[in-house]
Amino acid sequence: MKPDAKPALFGRIPILGRFGLWIWRNPLIAPALLVVIVVTQAPFILTVIYSLFRWNLQRPENTAFNGFGNYLDIFRDSRFLDSVVTSLSFTVAAVLLSLLVGLVYALLVHDRFFGRGIVRTLLITPFLIMPIIGALAWKYTVLSPIFGILNWIVRQFGGTPIDWIGMYPVASVVAVLVWRWAPFMMIIILAGLQALNDDQREAARMDGAGPWAETRFIVLPHLKKYLQLSGLLGSIFIVNEFDVIFMLTQGGPGTATTNVPFLIYQSVFYSFDIGHAAAMAVVIVLGTIVVVTYLLKLLGSLMGDLD
Amino acid sequence: MLTELGRQRASGGVLRAALAAGTVLAAGFGAQDALAQSGRLVIGAVNNAEFVAMRDLLPEFNRLYPDIEVEFQLVPENEVRARITTDITTQSGIYDLITTGPFEVPMWGRAGWLEPLDALMDDPAYEADDVFQGYLDGLSHDGKLYAAPGSAQASMLYYRADLLEAAGLTMPEAPTWDEVVEIATALHDPAAGQYGLCLRGLPGWGQMGAPLGTVINTFGGRWYDADWNAQITSPETSAAIHFYVETLQNVTPPGVTQFGNQECGQAITTGQAAMLYDDSSWAQVFFDPETNPHAENMAVAMAPVAEAGSKPSAWFWTWAWAVPTSANNKGAALAFISWATGPDYVPYAAPLVGWGNMPGPARQSQYEASSSYSEFAAPFMAVLDRTLATVDGVNGTHYEDTPYTGNQYIQIPEFQDLGNRCTQEFSGAVVGQQTVDEAIGKCQQYAEDVAVNGGYRN
Amino acid sequence: MAFWNRRPAAARGIERASRLRTVLAWGVALFVSFPFLYLATSGLKTEVEAPKMPPAFVPVPEFLNGIPFTYTPTLQNYRLILAGDFMPYFVNSAMATLVSTLIVLLLAIPAAYALTLPQTTSKRNVLFFLISTRFLPVVGVIIPIFLATRFVGLLDNVLALIILYTAMNLPIAVWMMRSFFQDLPADVLDAGRMDGAGTFHELTLIALPMVKNGVLATAFLAIIFAWNEFLLALTLTTTRAATVPLYMISFMSAQGLWYAKMSAAGTLVALPVVILGWFGQKWLVRGLSMGAVK
Amino acid sequence: MGHITLSNVTKQFGAVEVIPPLDLHIEDGEFVVFVGPSGCGKTTLLRLIAGLEDVTSGSVAIDGTDITGVAAAQRGLAMVFQSYALYPHMPVRDNIGFPLRMAGLDKAEIARKVEAVAETLNLTGHLDARPGQMSGGQRQRVAIGRAIVREPKAFLFDEPLSNLDAALRVNMRLEISELHQRLKTTAIYVTHDQVEAMTMATKIVVLRSGIIEQVGSPMELYNQPRNLFVAGFIGSPKMNFVTGETAAQHGAATIGVRPEHIALSKDAGDWKGRVGIVEHLGSDTFLHVTVPGAGPLTVRVAGEMAVRFGDTVFLTPDANKIHRFDAADNAMSRRP
């Protein structure tokens, strides 16, 4: 392993160093790299530039260089800070619950039983469905005060219909996110379970471990790596979640479910305030880098030797 | 048919000539390219029933203009605004024709983003005299018309006469808000799935913002004083917001923060809501037995006011057709406008898709279009006429001086964001995320930011 | 003492779950898939029946009408949707998805292969760079992407989506394909080199045929991500290139009688990927874990 | 036709030097076996010759031509891998024909040559089978077929028999030897099994940590190991080493005696010891005897021997066959 083999971040522009120029002469890699850089890096550089300008699409005459003014503005704006908190709480809650639920799913379906294939299939379905359709289904078939099955049940027990999304918006969004991401966690955890040597479990049984002890002392320690991986990947996807919030709550009521991506979306497409939106985007990208750095280290250790 | 065809063509012809000159000067487009009545025409419109129906009638348009290939995109209101505004402000040329309204049109006209349509007015075949002047005023800037009224509306109060009667209640012709809430409370019976009133709770300056705006006006409130000091926390404005939020909390269906124009309309046709304060374009739906099982029990009243004797308050809105200067096919766009808003559309379309799917009347002749229509239009026409006659929906119904124009909105670009953010906060207050005063405080802060950042106040 | 002594069922083997667990697993599975199953079943109702409570779950033939929780299915919603303007959306989605997936494979396979070759250096940097781009929030770059798309004249053009989806899926595809290539026995590739295969023949004649399943799995994942993509489609397409998510957002606000039609449309849109997923679930693991977990 | 010369060849993996500077000459037609414990660099050396690894410095020449930078395929060598490395998606016919196809031969000629090779290797009936359907021995033959079909200048074998079971291994050993007799093509064969080395090689190269300890014919290595390592590595059971007083008596730091060069008696001899484990092989008997002052020794006795655990026996090394080593483990001359 070379001493300088640290994880690369996207802030590190390949043309400028590290990768060395040879990579561009590698006809097998260069095209893929070029596409990714042009489509993802170039726009990000533009975003950084935009973030330094006062620029509202509706008032082009008002455009001017603004230095770090946009950054000052967004950090003074309670909406942005709130959305950061919202993003973080969604992420923490949804990731932890998804992990837990995913683990339960995985433990439920790991061993063979009647119809295991079908059960697994049903369990991963939420992850496959287009997110906006998943959200639509929840909004209208489950949570809706009028058509929703939940309120029908409530009414059977003599309750009055509840506006779930209105009254419990955060819980509603987290519920949908967990519904959608727990299968993702399950898939990775299942892979971990499959990698667990049956001999080990059998040996534990020979040594007198009951199902609980077996899970606690053999299975869970073995799964640690997999739980870490799924948790971290899940965090990165969930922190950027947009589709479900767009469809389910539009960030509301109030700003209860406005996370950073949705706030940026609103800033761009409802306020047309490019400067502020870009500043927020830069901040969230920088924030993501912290997590990604850790993730890459973890991935690196999971991948074993590279180079 | 032949005469109709001829007239449409003629109208297009005059327009073409007139517009060609203006366009060449203004934008430097070649007249030939810009005004061809052929090719691809991309329309972006709000997905209201009248435009959905219009899309279904495209074969008729194509019979008149066989060489125009129409691509009609219909999107919910909040989304359509986002997409259209992005297109217009970046001059992207996505749309050749858009639905927009009196909030944006004067600003966009001034910015040079919309084509002037005065030529359309000058075309005798268009019968411009027939169009209500009030709507045209709202769509003009500096004496130039930038959009043609497609579906016009003013706000009014709908109610179920049968339910009121059963409860021994009567509705004044021009009720106050207190009276409305009193009646709504009497009729509100959630256990039976019966709700007193539907009122837009969906955030958005064009959704909750519209009825709320009129409540603020009639309560004597305003967004800014003459010096651009935000007035959300002023006693009048604050009282209006408190009233609106509490009404939503007390007498509306569950989930009201997700109810916009469409959802509230459904609440009436499904019999859930006893009353609805919303726009006049619903009248055609509500009074038509084909589209509303309770049609014969529907009645309307003037938009409620703060107290008896207050000056009438209502919002005016027009979904209007405009041609962006960045459009690629202005000729086809104009042809479509003249078809969709011309004097022949309603008489032709109403028998095919029903009165409920007609645009809100922007032309006097729509009321006289057929005897059956005038018959069922009679109950609400009186109220609408009176509203149109007494309310200044363009310059506002404020009691106090304001530095801005606009009625249920204020005509500055930043209002779109401000209105969205404030209504979002208010909807948060409706479901108890925060107190009304907290929401008002935030809204006040946003409004102050807009005044300063927008350069309205130093 | 030993717990399993008292529980012969558990002792019989690791691979058999208890009956309680079987029931539990089925219960959870049905609960979890309820929103989708109910959506699918509502698509087969009439508009009048769809919003009715108590909910009807079970489609039955007409003569069995009246049994609680049942209804008579109809295909009228599907007929309406397919006769309407749904197909162009569907075709656009299919185009964007399939073409981008094809390009992804064309670009990712050689790159991934090169990243397993011993003479390639900086593998770690390239791989980590690639995957880090996948973690960028798309909203963070949506403005420049919109403006750039406009600049090159590709607004409302499927080509724009194809390019973006390609870039979006490339990193994962490279990671995934690489993990498959890496599992190939090194000897076989060495044998190929001894036998005179250049890199091109080594890849096409030896390595690629051996990772057929890997290619399918990669394609499968790329298809899922591209098909379900929402924000870019929403922002960059209008009419001509509009994909199914745009069709779906018209159901965001209640519009006349729309519940059954929405359900049918949602089912129709979700189904291709769901079916694909049912067949390819075993491949999901590698893709979703970037190949870190085999 | 195929003599190979390595001059001053080194190989580093990162900072680790796997092969220190090394020279080696292989004559045309030789059967050279690289042998050594695992990790000694023998496979690396083979791969350097094959061109599958690049040398860090030095040069490789075949028939006097420097081929240091030449790609593996262009070196005119063929290789048989430990795992056989057959292409699983191709039938046997295509597997064997692959190098010819890469060389651009036309189809008819490929078919003809493949048939011919299949004939010699008894694979004719299996040409359309896939490797996955064949037994280990058959796969090995296919791998060999793929190597010989292109008539290389030399064969490279990388532990080709280690995946086979014991019986098959002996068979294949003979087959490969026979093949070499017939083709007379230079062969380089890597193994960690000194029996394979002894039985097949015309020349053995003993490697340790990338360094050539000794090169020679099997018998040279057996009779005149250059140092303690070679002495211990070649021969089975292993040579006995005795140090201390006993060695000093022979004027050496260490003396080595092969088990077969010790005479055993129940009555008298040089060393007295107690019998430990006795291994009866039928043809031979191996006794593990503990001799005070000399340590544990292994003794090989032809035929069956009636001794039991705990018996006392006397051992006498064949004085002419005692190997002496100095303090640096290098062999000293035989006692005069």
Side-chain angles (χ1 to χ4, degrees):
Chain A
M1 186 80 48
K2 287 184 203 155
D4 65 342
K6 280 184 242 134
L9 297 177
F10 36 89
R12 209 171 274 164
I13 309 304
I15 322 160
L16 300 181
R18 287 219 109 98
F19 288 137
L21 287 169
W22 70 267
I23 204 83
W24 298 108
R25 290 196 297 271
N26 188 327
L28 297 179
I29 301 179
L33 215 50
L34 194 70
V35 169
V36 172
I37 286 171
V38 167
V39 180
T40 66
Q41 305 294 287
F44 182 66
I45 293 167
L46 286 175
T47 300
V48 174
I49 295 170
Y50 295 166
S51 74
L52 301 175
F53 281 82
R54 182 171 65 223
W55 182 15
N56 188 312
L57 285 180
Q58 293 190 98
R59 298 189 61 186
E61 75 283 356
N62 210 13
T63 307
F65 184 73
N66 197 19
F68 290 98
N70 293 327
Y71 291 93
L72 290 177
D73 286 350
I74 60 168
F75 279 111
R76 279 193 296 113
D77 183 351
S78 64
R79 267 196 324 172
F80 178 67
L81 300 176
D82 287 350
S83 73
V84 171
V85 173
T86 306
S87 272
L88 290 179
S89 40
F90 275 162
T91 310
V92 171
V95 168
L96 291 181
L97 285 171
S98 302
L99 271 177
L100 196 69
V101 175
L103 181 64
V104 171
Y105 288 178
L107 292 174
L108 274 179
V109 302
H110 178 225
D111 294 336
R112 271 216 324 262
F113 60 85
F114 173 73
R116 181 176 68 165
I118 300 170
V119 166
R120 275 191 189 181
T121 299
L122 290 177
L123 284 178
I124 61 162
T125 304
F127 185 75
L128 298 173
I129 292 182
M130 187 178 289
I132 58 162
I133 291 177
L136 264 183
W138 271 80
K139 185 175 178 178
Y140 290 115
T141 67
V142 181
L143 299 173
S144 158
I146 301 162
F147 313 111
I149 191 91
L150 220 49
N151 273 332
W152 178 74
I153 295 169
V154 166
R155 240 181 268 140
Q156 298 310 297
F157 290 98
T160 47
I162 298 166
D163 171 18
W164 299 98
I165 297 176
M167 300 308 292
Y168 311 104
V170 175
S172 302
V173 171
V174 170
V176 177
L177 288 178
V178 170
W179 175 76
R180 177 165 157 66
W181 288 99
F184 170 83
M185 309 293 186
M186 174 190 81
I187 288 168
I188 295 180
I189 294 169
L190 266 180
L193 285 175
Q194 273 154 15
L196 173 64
N197 198 339
D198 267 0
D199 290 353
Q200 267 189 49
R201 291 173 73 190
E202 275 167 355
R205 290 191 177 185
M206 293 303 290
D207 292 343
W212 164 246
E214 184 189 315
T215 306
R216 166 73 185 76
F217 294 107
I218 308 291
V219 178
L220 286 183
H222 166 81
L223 286 181
K224 191 180 155 208
K225 240 171 45 171
Y226 298 88
L227 291 170
Q228 274 179 330
L229 177 74
S230 51
L232 222 50
L233 287 173
S235 307
I236 281 166
F237 288 125
I238 291 173
V239 88
N240 290 330
E241 184 64 56
F242 171 80
D243 301 5
V244 164
I245 288 168
F246 180 91
M247 250 320 173
L248 199 68
T249 63
Q250 288 271 308
T255 51
T257 58
T258 303
N259 67 353
V260 180
F262 193 75
L263 184 66
I264 296 175
Y265 179 81
Q266 280 184 315
S267 230
V268 177
F269 291 107
Y270 297 163
S271 331
F272 309 100
D273 191 339
I274 305 302
H276 282 152
M280 290 191 269
V282 171
V283 172
I284 193 185
V285 167
L286 293 179
T288 312
I289 286 178
V290 178
V291 186
V292 168
T293 308
Y294 180 65
L295 174 81
L296 291 186
K297 279 194 186 131
L298 180 70
L299 267 182
S301 74
L302 289 178
M303 301 302 299
D305 55 319
L306 289 166
D307 278 335
Chain B
M1 275 305 157
L2 262 179
T3 50
E4 185 183 307
L5 194 82
R7 191 162 69 178
Q8 292 279 6
R9 281 277 153 82
S11 108
V14 174
L15 269 168
R16 282 168 73 179
L19 224 123
T23 319
V24 170
L25 288 174
F29 279 104
Q32 294 296 324
D33 297 338
L35 297 170
Q37 284 186 350
S38 62
R40 177 176 175 233
L41 172 66
V42 182
I43 301 175
V46 62
N47 71 341
N48 289 351
E50 61 265 35
F51 299 126
V52 175
M54 191 173 281
R55 182 180 54 182
D56 295 340
L57 293 172
L58 281 178
E60 165 63 10
F61 176 73
N62 277 125
R63 199 176 56 71
L64 297 170
Y65 299 94
D67 298 332
I68 297 177
E69 178 203 345
V70 182
E71 290 170 21
F72 211 134
Q73 190 195 23
L74 293 160
V75 193
E77 181 171 331
N78 283 347
E79 286 320 301
V80 86
R81 287 214 160 94
R83 302 167 66 77
I84 287 174
T85 312
T86 313
D87 174 40
I88 297 278
T89 55
T90 60
Q91 297 275 287
S92 295
I94 296 172
Y95 297 112
D96 299 308
L97 183 60
I98 55 172
T99 60
T100 177
F103 168 71
E104 296 98 337
V105 167
M107 296 187 295
W108 290 356
R110 187 181 57 204
W113 287 333
L114 298 179
E115 291 287 347
L117 297 178
D118 293 295
L120 184 72
M121 297 294 107
D122 301 338
D123 182 357
Y126 189 70
E127 295 174 19
D129 301 345
D130 189 26
V131 184
F132 292 115
Q133 188 60 38
Y135 295 138
L136 293 178
D137 291 345
L139 299 171
S140 300
H141 172 75
D142 223 359
K144 276 193 173 132
L145 183 74
Y146 285 98
S151 182
Q153 39 182 268
S155 61
M156 47 210 245
L157 183 75
Y158 302 92
Y159 61 93
R160 287 271 298 276
D162 55 334
L163 296 176
L164 267 73
E165 197 177 334
L169 300 165
T170 52
M171 178 68 77
E173 198 200 344
T176 66
W177 273 112
D178 285 342
E179 288 167 337
V180 169
V181 169
E182 203 176 306
I183 294 170
T185 310
L187 297 177
H188 193 61
D189 184 5
Q194 176 79 66
Y195 307 98
L197 171 68
C198 195
L199 206 50
R200 298 185 192 174
L202 184 69
W205 70 269
Q207 291 284 6
M208 183 205 280
L212 175 62
T214 64
V215 173
I216 290 174
N217 287 341
T218 191
F219 273 60
R222 55 186 168 166
W223 287 83
Y224 292 101
D225 70 10
D227 301 319
W228 286 99
N229 295 307
Q231 294 295 307
I232 317 300
T233 49
S234 72
E236 295 84 1
T237 314
S238 165
I241 295 165
H242 271 276
F243 171 80
Y244 194 87
V245 170
E246 280 155 22
T247 306
L248 285 180
Q249 287 171 329
N250 294 335
V251 292
T252 58
V256 75
T257 54
Q258 309 214 34
F259 276 54
N261 173 35
Q262 296 294 322
E263 288 77 10
C264 271
Q266 290 237 307
I268 290 289
T269 54
T270 56
Q272 292 183 331
M275 293 192 283
L276 168 66
Y277 174 54
D278 214 299
D279 73 56
S280 57
S281 62
W282 280 115
Q284 302 171 122
V285 177
F286 293 163
F287 284 87
D288 186 345
E290 299 256 314
T291 47
N292 180 11
H294 314 285
E296 57 189 45
N297 295 318
M298 293 306 297
V300 291
M302 295 279 287
V305 289
E307 45 197 79
S310 300
K311 72 175 171 181
S313 170
W315 83 74
F316 280 23
W317 184 256
T318 323
W319 283 112
W321 295 102
V323 184
T325 44
S326 58
N328 296 313
N329 195 347
K330 292 171 188 162
L334 281 169
F336 193 88
I337 293 183
S338 64
W339 175 72
T341 68
D344 303 323
Y345 177 76
V346 170
Y348 157 75
L352 293 179
V353 293
W355 286 105
N357 285 323
M358 286 301 97
R363 287 173 174 274
Q364 188 68 42
S365 61
Q366 183 162 337
Y367 298 120
E368 297 143 13
S370 82
S371 57
S372 67
Y373 185 75
S374 45
E375 195 178 307
F376 98 85
F380 62 86
M381 266 322 298
V383 172
L384 185 58
D385 275 343
R386 200 171 137 195
T387 304
L388 289 175
T390 55
V391 177
D392 183 348
V394 175
N395 295 314
T397 52
H398 324 284
Y399 280 87
E400 308 277 344
D401 270 357
T402 56
Y404 53 83
T405 56
N407 179 21
Q408 77 274 23
Y409 47 81
I410 64 182
Q411 208 146 38
I412 56 172
E414 291 84 356
F415 181 73
Q416 195 151 295
D417 183 35
L418 177 60
N420 286 343
R421 287 165 74 169
C422 286
T423 50
Q424 203 174 27
E425 297 296 346
F426 300 152
S427 83
V430 171
V431 295
Q433 295 283 327
Q434 55 189 343
T435 67
V436 184
D437 283 321
E438 279 167 359
I440 288 173
K442 287 184 189 169
C443 179
Q444 169 82 6
Q445 185 56 49
Y446 302 152
E448 286 285 301
D449 288 349
V450 164
V452 175
N453 295 340
Y456 300 104
R457 190 183 86 206
N458 291 324
Chain C
M1 246 263 315
F3 192 49
W4 49 268
N5 273 344
R6 283 178 278 121
R7 300 255 323 258
R12 216 183 299 136
I14 297 281
E15 65 284 342
R16 273 263 160 211
S18 71
R19 196 165 301 161
L20 176 74
R21 197 135 60 114
T22 306
V23 172
L24 209 62
W26 270 98
V28 169
L30 289 174
F31 178 79
V32 161
S33 47
F34 171 80
F36 177 66
L37 295 180
Y38 193 59
L39 192 79
T41 206
S42 294
L44 295 169
K45 298 175 188 170
T46 62
E47 289 291 3
V48 184
E49 273 173 334
K52 267 192 192 156
M53 291 286 158
F57 304 110
V58 191
V60 291
E62 193 138 21
F63 67 90
L64 287 174
N65 249 345
I67 302 170
F69 303 112
T70 64
Y71 67 97
T72 311
T74 164
L75 286 174
Q76 76 175 33
N77 298 307
Y78 288 96
R79 255 181 248 123
L80 258 170
I81 288 169
L82 294 175
D85 56 352
F86 176 74
M87 276 325 278
Y89 292 90
F90 196 89
V91 170
N92 283 333
S93 265
M95 279 275 289
T97 301
L98 295 178
V99 177
S100 72
T101 300
L102 207 66
I103 300 174
V104 161
L105 292 178
L106 283 177
L107 292 173
I109 288 172
Y113 189 65
L115 287 169
T116 58
L117 293 179
Q119 66 266 31
T120 304
T121 55
S122 292
K123 287 199 269 278
R124 197 185 178 86
N125 282 342
V126 173
L127 278 165
F128 283 166
F129 164 75
L130 281 176
I131 201 63
S132 63
T133 64
R134 186 65 179 79
F135 300 142
L136 266 175
V138 181
V139 279
V141 290
I142 196 76
I143 315 149
I145 284 180
F146 176 84
L147 294 176
T149 311
R150 167 180 168 257
F151 182 74
V152 294
L154 288 181
L155 282 177
D156 200 17
N157 190 324
V158 179
L159 194 57
L161 291 185
I162 290 174
I163 293 168
L164 286 162
Y165 291 173
T166 301
M168 173 178 90
N169 281 326
L170 249 179
I172 288 181
V174 169
W175 273 75
M176 202 165 159
M177 281 313 303
R178 180 181 153 280
S179 83
F180 283 106
F181 281 134
Q182 204 145 49
D183 284 357
L184 290 181
D187 279 357
V188 175
L189 299 176
D190 282 343
R193 290 165 69 197
M194 290 300 294
D195 287 346
T199 310
F200 177 75
H201 281 134
E202 196 176 308
L203 173 57
T204 52
L205 295 180
I206 300 173
L208 212 48
M210 289 170 72
V211 295
K212 261 185 307 200
N213 279 338
V215 174
L216 282 176
T218 308
F220 161 70
L221 205 71
I223 286 173
I224 289 188
F225 281 129
W227 182 266
N228 286 348
E229 201 285 328
F230 175 61
L231 185 57
L232 292 169
L234 177 71
T235 311
L236 301 178
T237 68
T238 311
T239 52
R240 185 158 277 194
T243 53
V244 281
L246 263 99
Y247 184 80
M248 289 314 297
I249 68 162
S250 62
F251 293 106
M252 269 177 73
S253 67
Q255 183 65 228
L257 288 167
W258 99 125
Y259 189 87
K261 199 171 163 223
M262 173 199 80
S263 302
T267 311
L268 214 51
V269 168
L271 218 51
V273 167
V274 170
I275 290 175
L276 209 56
W278 289 348
F279 287 111
Q281 46 174 308
K282 64 172 187 285
W283 295 330
L284 278 168
V285 179
R286 238 180 234 257
L288 297 181
S289 60
M290 316 297 151
V293 173
K294 307 264 158 61
Chain D
M1 204 179 97
H3 61 91
I4 297 169
T5 309
L6 307 184
S7 320
N8 219 12
V9 163
T10 67
K11 177 66 184 176
Q12 291 188 330
F13 288 115
V16 182
E17 187 173 58
V18 182
I19 309 276
L22 175 149
D23 293 289
L24 180 67
H25 183 74
I26 295 163
E27 290 295 342
D28 187 16
E30 277 189 311
F31 196 110
V32 178
V33 174
F34 292 173
V35 71
S38 57
C40 69
K42 55 190 189 294
T43 295
T44 305
L45 197 56
L46 188 75
R47 291 169 63 84
L48 288 174
I49 295 167
L52 293 173
E53 307 279 357
D54 293 331
V55 298
T56 307
S57 69
S59 67
V60 181
I62 298 178
D63 291 344
T65 314
D66 187 348
I67 46 118
T68 310
V70 175
Q74 267 75 58
R75 295 188 178 193
L77 307 173
M79 186 152 164
V80 176
F81 293 83
Q82 179 174 7
S83 63
Y84 325 129
L86 300 179
Y87 309 126
H89 53 287
M90 298 181 194
V92 168
R93 183 188 306 280
D94 292 355
N95 257 289
I96 296 177
F98 190 76
L100 303 178
R101 181 175 164 200
M102 287 297 106
L105 266 63
D106 67 60
K107 278 187 180 151
E109 194 168 1
I110 293 176
R112 193 178 55 72
K113 290 194 172 192
V114 169
E115 301 280 352
V117 166
E119 184 98 11
T120 33
L121 292 170
N122 284 326
L123 288 169
T124 309
H126 303 285
L127 277 177
D128 293 312
R130 297 210 179 232
Q133 303 161 327
M134 309 179 87
S135 71
Q138 288 170 323
R139 287 188 222 181
Q140 186 60 272
R141 278 208 288 274
V142 176
I144 292 169
R146 190 173 65 183
I148 61 178
V149 73
R150 54 190 295 206
E151 295 159 21
K153 291 180 187 148
F155 292 120
L156 309 179
F157 294 93
D158 185 7
E159 308 207 23
L161 304 183
S162 57
N163 282 1
L164 299 176
D165 61 53
L168 206 52
R169 200 177 302 169
V170 175
N171 256 342
M172 285 306 297
R173 208 162 76 193
L174 285 171
E175 276 191 42
I176 292 174
S177 293
E178 257 173 40
L179 199 69
H180 179 248
Q181 289 298 326
R182 205 165 62 223
L183 299 175
K184 300 271 187 254
T185 306
T186 312
I188 304 175
Y189 187 106
V190 164
T191 181
H192 61 267
D193 179 348
Q194 61 94 28
V195 177
E196 279 177 28
M198 296 295 283
T199 52
M200 300 170 83
T202 57
K203 180 153 118 190
I204 294 179
V205 177
V206 182
L207 285 158
R208 178 169 62 158
S209 307
I211 296 168
I212 296 180
E213 295 288 345
Q214 190 168 2
V215 179
S217 70
M219 278 304 121
E220 278 168 14
L221 264 61
Y222 181 79
N223 292 324
Q224 288 122 38
R226 193 191 283 165
N227 56 32
L228 207 63
F229 175 77
V230 177
F233 195 82
I234 300 291
S236 173
K238 233 169 88 96
M239 183 186 280
N240 297 299
F241 294 116
V242 179
T243 54
E245 187 62 17
T246 318
Q249 283 169 10
H250 290 81
T254 311
I255 56 167
V257 190
R258 295 195 185 277
E260 53 270 39
H261 298 150
I262 299 176
L264 181 132
S265 160
K266 287 190 171 173
D267 311 315
D270 288 0
W271 301 329
K272 181 182 171 192
R274 184 183 291 271
V275 176
I277 299 293
V278 181
E279 298 175 284
H280 302 279
L281 273 68
S283 61
D284 298 293
T285 306
F286 299 156
L287 291 94
H288 299 272
V289 182
T290 309
V291 178
L297 300 175
T298 309
V299 181
R300 174 185 197 152
V301 182
E304 182 59 20
M305 181 78 193
V307 281
R308 290 212 313 267
F309 184 90
D311 290 356
T312 298
V313 292
F314 294 89
L315 308 177
T316 309
D318 181 343
N320 292 325
K321 294 193 170 154
I322 293 178
H323 302 262
R324 299 190 308 138
F325 302 95
D326 62 18
D329 292 349
N330 287 321
M332 302 162 73
S333 60
R334 291 285 166 85
R335 202 152 211 195

